[in-house]
Coordinates of all heavy atoms in Angstrom, one line a residue:
A5 N 0.8 -1.2 0.0 CA 0.0 0.1 0.0 C 0.9 1.3 0.0 O 0.6 2.2 -0.8 CB -1.0 0.0 1.3
E6 N 1.9 1.3 0.8 CA 2.7 2.4 0.8 C 3.5 2.7 -0.5 O 3.7 3.7 -0.9 CB 3.8 2.3 2.1 CG 3.0 2.3 3.4 CD 3.8 1.9 4.6 OE1 5.1 1.6 4.4 OE2 3.2 1.9 5.7
R7 N 4.0 1.4 -1.0 CA 4.7 1.6 -2.3 C 3.8 2.1 -3.5 O 4.2 2.9 -4.3 CB 5.2 0.2 -2.8 CG 5.8 0.1 -4.2 CD 6.2 -1.3 -4.5 NE 6.7 -1.4 -5.8 CZ 5.8 -1.8 -6.8 NH1 4.6 -2.1 -6.6 NH2 6.3 -1.7 -8.1
F8 N 2.5 1.8 -3.3 CA 1.5 2.2 -4.4 C 1.0 3.7 -4.2 O 0.3 4.2 -4.9 CB 0.3 1.2 -4.4 CG 0.6 -0.1 -4.9 CD1 -0.1 -1.2 -4.4 CD2 1.6 -0.3 -5.8 CE1 0.0 -2.5 -4.8 CE2 1.8 -1.6 -6.3 CZ 1.0 -2.6 -5.9
G9 N 1.6 4.4 -3.1 CA 1.3 5.7 -2.9 C 0.1 5.9 -2.0 O -0.3 7.1 -1.9
F10 N -0.4 4.9 -1.2 CA -1.3 5.2 -0.2 C -0.8 5.7 1.1 O 0.4 5.5 1.3 CB -2.1 3.9 0.1 CG -3.1 3.3 -0.9 CD1 -2.5 2.7 -2.0 CD2 -4.4 3.5 -0.8 CE1 -3.5 2.2 -3.0 CE2 -5.3 3.0 -1.8 CZ -4.8 2.4 -2.8
C11 N -1.6 6.6 1.6 CA -1.1 7.3 2.9 C -1.7 6.4 4.1 O -2.9 6.3 4.2 CB -1.5 8.7 2.9 SG -1.2 9.5 4.5
F12 N -0.9 6.2 5.1 CA -1.3 5.5 6.3 C -2.1 6.5 7.2 O -1.6 7.6 7.4 CB -0.1 4.9 7.1 CG -0.6 4.3 8.4 CD1 -1.3 3.3 8.4 CD2 -0.1 4.9 9.6 CE1 -1.7 2.7 9.8 CE2 -0.4 4.4 10.9 CZ -1.2 3.2 10.9
E13 N -3.4 6.1 7.6 CA -4.1 7.1 8.5 C -4.3 6.6 9.9 O -4.8 7.5 10.6 CB -5.4 7.2 7.8 CG -5.4 7.8 6.4 CD -6.8 8.1 5.7 OE1 -7.6 7.2 6.0 OE2 -6.8 9.1 5.0
G14 N -4.0 5.5 10.2 CA -4.3 5.0 11.6 C -4.7 3.5 11.7 O -4.9 2.9 10.7
I15 N -4.9 3.2 12.9 CA -5.5 1.7 13.2 C -6.8 1.8 13.9 O -6.9 2.4 14.9 CB -4.4 1.0 13.9 CG1 -3.2 0.9 13.2 CG2 -4.9 -0.4 14.3 CD1 -2.0 0.3 13.9
F16 N -7.7 1.1 13.5 CA -9.0 0.9 14.1 C -8.8 -0.5 14.9 O -8.9 -1.5 14.3 CB -10.2 0.7 13.2 CG -10.7 2.1 12.6 CD1 -10.0 3.2 12.4 CD2 -12.1 2.2 12.4 CE1 -10.4 4.4 12.0 CE2 -12.6 3.4 11.9 CZ -11.8 4.5 11.8
R17 N -8.7 -0.4 16.3 CA -8.6 -1.4 17.1 C -9.8 -2.3 17.3 O -10.9 -1.7 17.3 CB -8.0 -0.9 18.4 CG -6.7 -0.2 18.4 CD -6.3 0.3 19.7 NE -7.3 1.2 20.2 CZ -7.3 1.6 21.6 NH1 -6.6 1.1 22.4 NH2 -8.3 2.4 21.9
Q18 N -9.7 -3.6 17.3 CA -10.8 -4.5 17.3 C -11.9 -4.0 16.5 O -13.2 -4.1 16.9 CB -11.3 -4.5 18.9 CG -10.2 -5.1 19.9 CD -10.8 -5.4 21.2 OE1 -9.9 -5.8 22.1 NE2 -12.0 -5.4 21.4
H19 N -11.6 -3.8 15.2 CA -12.5 -3.4 14.2 C -13.4 -4.5 13.7 O -14.5 -4.3 13.4 CB -11.6 -2.8 13.2 CG -12.6 -2.4 11.9 ND1 -12.2 -2.6 10.6 CD2 -13.7 -1.5 11.9 CE1 -13.1 -2.0 9.8 NE2 -14.0 -1.4 10.6
M20 N -12.8 -5.7 13.6 CA -13.7 -6.9 13.0 C -13.2 -8.1 13.8 O -12.1 -8.3 14.4 CB -13.3 -7.1 11.6 CG -13.8 -5.9 10.6 SD -13.5 -6.3 8.9 CE -14.2 -5.0 8.1
V21 N -14.0 -9.2 13.5 CA -13.6 -10.6 13.8 C -13.7 -11.4 12.5 O -14.7 -11.5 11.9 CB -14.6 -11.2 14.8 CG1 -14.1 -12.7 15.1 CG2 -14.7 -10.5 16.2
V22 N -12.5 -11.8 12.0 CA -12.4 -12.6 10.8 C -11.8 -13.9 11.1 O -10.8 -14.1 11.7 CB -11.4 -11.8 9.7 CG1 -11.2 -12.4 8.6 CG2 -11.8 -10.3 9.6
K23 N -12.6 -14.9 10.6 CA -12.2 -16.3 10.7 C -12.1 -16.6 12.2 O -11.1 -17.4 12.7 CB -11.1 -16.7 9.9 CG -11.2 -16.6 8.5 CD -9.9 -16.9 7.7 CE -10.3 -16.6 6.2 NZ -9.1 -16.8 5.3
G24 N -12.9 -16.0 13.1 CA -12.8 -16.3 14.5 C -11.7 -15.5 15.2 O -11.6 -15.6 16.5
L25 N -11.1 -14.6 14.6 CA -9.9 -13.9 15.2 C -10.2 -12.4 15.2 O -10.8 -11.9 14.3 CB -8.6 -14.2 14.6 CG -8.2 -15.7 14.6 CD1 -6.9 -15.9 13.6 CD2 -7.9 -16.2 16.0
N26 N -9.6 -11.7 16.1 CA -9.7 -10.2 16.2 C -8.9 -9.7 15.0 O -7.8 -10.2 14.6 CB -9.1 -9.7 17.6 CG -9.0 -8.2 17.5 OD1 -10.0 -7.5 17.5 ND2 -7.8 -7.6 17.5
R27 N -9.5 -8.6 14.4 CA -8.7 -7.9 13.4 C -8.7 -6.5 13.8 O -9.6 -5.7 13.9 CB -9.4 -8.0 12.1 CG -8.8 -7.1 10.9 CD -9.1 -7.4 9.7 NE -9.4 -6.1 8.8 CZ -9.6 -6.0 7.5 NH1 -9.6 -7.1 6.8 NH2 -9.8 -4.8 7.0
D28 N -7.5 -6.0 14.0 CA -7.1 -4.5 14.2 C -6.9 -4.2 12.6 O -6.0 -4.6 12.0 CB -5.9 -4.2 14.9 CG -6.1 -4.6 16.3 OD1 -7.2 -4.7 16.8 OD2 -5.0 -4.8 17.0
T29 N -7.6 -3.1 12.2 CA -7.5 -2.7 10.8 C -6.8 -1.4 10.5 O -6.9 -0.5 11.2 CB -8.9 -2.5 10.3 OG1 -9.7 -3.7 10.3 CG2 -9.0 -2.0 8.8
A30 N -5.8 -1.5 9.6 CA -4.9 -0.3 9.3 C -5.6 0.3 8.1 O -5.9 -0.4 7.1 CB -3.6 -0.8 9.0
W31 N -5.8 1.6 8.2 CA -6.5 2.3 7.1 C -5.5 3.2 6.2 O -4.6 3.8 6.8 CB -7.5 3.4 7.7 CG -8.6 2.7 8.3 CD1 -8.8 1.7 9.2 CD2 -10.1 3.1 8.0 NE1 -10.1 1.4 9.5 CE2 -10.9 2.3 8.8 CE3 -10.6 4.2 7.2 CZ2 -12.4 2.4 8.6 CZ3 -12.0 4.3 7.2 CH2 -12.8 3.4 7.9
Y32 N -5.6 3.0 4.9 CA -4.8 3.8 4.0 C -5.8 4.4 3.0 O -6.8 3.9 2.7 CB -3.9 2.7 3.3 CG -2.7 2.2 4.1 CD1 -3.0 1.1 4.9 CD2 -1.5 2.7 4.1 CE1 -2.0 0.5 5.7 CE2 -0.5 2.2 4.9 CZ -0.8 1.1 5.6 OH 0.3 0.6 6.3
S33 N -5.3 5.5 2.4 CA -6.1 6.0 1.3 C -5.1 6.9 0.4 O -4.1 7.3 0.7 CB -7.1 7.1 2.0 OG -6.5 8.2 2.4
I34 N -5.8 7.3 -0.7 CA -5.2 8.2 -1.7 C -6.5 9.2 -1.9 O -7.5 8.7 -2.2 CB -4.8 7.7 -3.0 CG1 -3.7 6.6 -2.7 CG2 -4.2 8.7 -3.9 CD1 -3.3 5.9 -4.1
T35 N -6.2 10.5 -1.9 CA -7.2 11.3 -2.2 C -7.0 12.0 -3.6 O -5.9 11.7 -4.2 CB -7.3 12.6 -1.3 OG1 -6.0 13.4 -1.5 CG2 -7.3 12.1 0.3
D36 N -8.0 12.5 -4.2 CA -8.0 13.0 -5.6 C -6.8 14.1 -5.6 O -6.1 14.3 -6.7 CB -9.3 13.6 -5.9 CG -9.9 14.5 -5.2 OD1 -9.3 14.9 -4.1 OD2 -11.0 15.2 -5.5
R37 N -6.6 14.8 -4.6 CA -5.5 15.9 -4.6 C -4.2 15.3 -4.6 O -3.3 15.8 -5.0 CB -5.7 16.8 -3.4 CG -6.9 17.5 -3.2 CD -7.0 18.3 -1.9 NE -8.3 18.8 -1.7 CZ -8.7 20.1 -2.0 NH1 -7.7 21.0 -2.5 NH2 -9.9 20.6 -1.7
E38 N -4.1 13.9 -4.2 CA -2.8 13.2 -4.1 C -2.4 12.4 -5.3 O -1.3 11.8 -5.4 CB -2.6 12.4 -2.8 CG -2.9 13.3 -1.6 CD -3.2 12.4 -0.3 OE1 -3.7 11.4 -0.6 OE2 -3.0 12.8 0.8
W39 N -3.5 12.1 -6.1 CA -3.3 11.1 -7.1 C -2.4 11.6 -8.3 O -2.6 12.6 -9.0 CB -4.7 10.9 -7.8 CG -4.7 9.8 -9.0 CD1 -5.2 10.2 -10.2 CD2 -4.2 8.6 -9.1 NE1 -5.0 9.1 -11.1 CE2 -4.4 8.1 -10.4 CE3 -3.4 7.8 -8.2 CZ2 -3.9 6.9 -10.8 CZ3 -2.9 6.5 -8.6 CH2 -3.2 6.1 -9.9
L40 N -1.2 10.9 -8.3 CA -0.2 11.3 -9.3 C 0.0 10.2 -10.2 O 0.8 9.3 -10.2 CB 1.1 11.6 -8.6 CG 1.0 12.8 -7.7 CD1 2.3 12.9 -6.9 CD2 0.8 14.2 -8.5
R41 N -0.9 10.2 -11.3 CA -0.9 9.1 -12.2 C 0.3 9.0 -13.1 O 0.9 8.0 -13.6 CB -2.2 9.1 -13.3 CG -2.1 10.2 -14.3 CD -3.5 10.3 -15.1 NE -4.1 9.1 -15.4 CZ -3.9 8.6 -16.7 NH1 -3.1 9.3 -17.5 NH2 -4.6 7.5 -17.1
A42 N 1.0 10.3 -13.3 CA 2.3 10.3 -14.0 C 3.3 9.3 -13.4 O 4.1 8.8 -14.2 CB 2.7 11.8 -14.1

């Protein structure tokens, strides 16, 4: 995600239970102002 240009925004703790296990979720994003297709 970082290589592809996404910005790390933080972690949502105990966000989900996936396959019976806790998932802390890391959020990444690219905004239209940051999109550098070149």
Side-chain angles (χ1 to χ4, degrees):
E6 292 167 0
R7 173 179 173 268
F8 291 149
F10 286 80
C11 177
F12 174 66
E13 295 183 326
I15 297 172
F16 277 35
R17 299 175 300 161
Q18 297 190 187
H19 179 226
M20 293 180 175
V21 176
V22 179
K23 297 176 180 175
L25 300 174
N26 173 65
R27 171 172 141 166
D28 296 336
T29 299
W31 285 52
Y32 290 82
S33 75
I34 303 173
T35 69
D36 55 357
R37 298 172 188 265
E38 299 163 343
W39 174 234
L40 296 175
R41 77 190 309 267

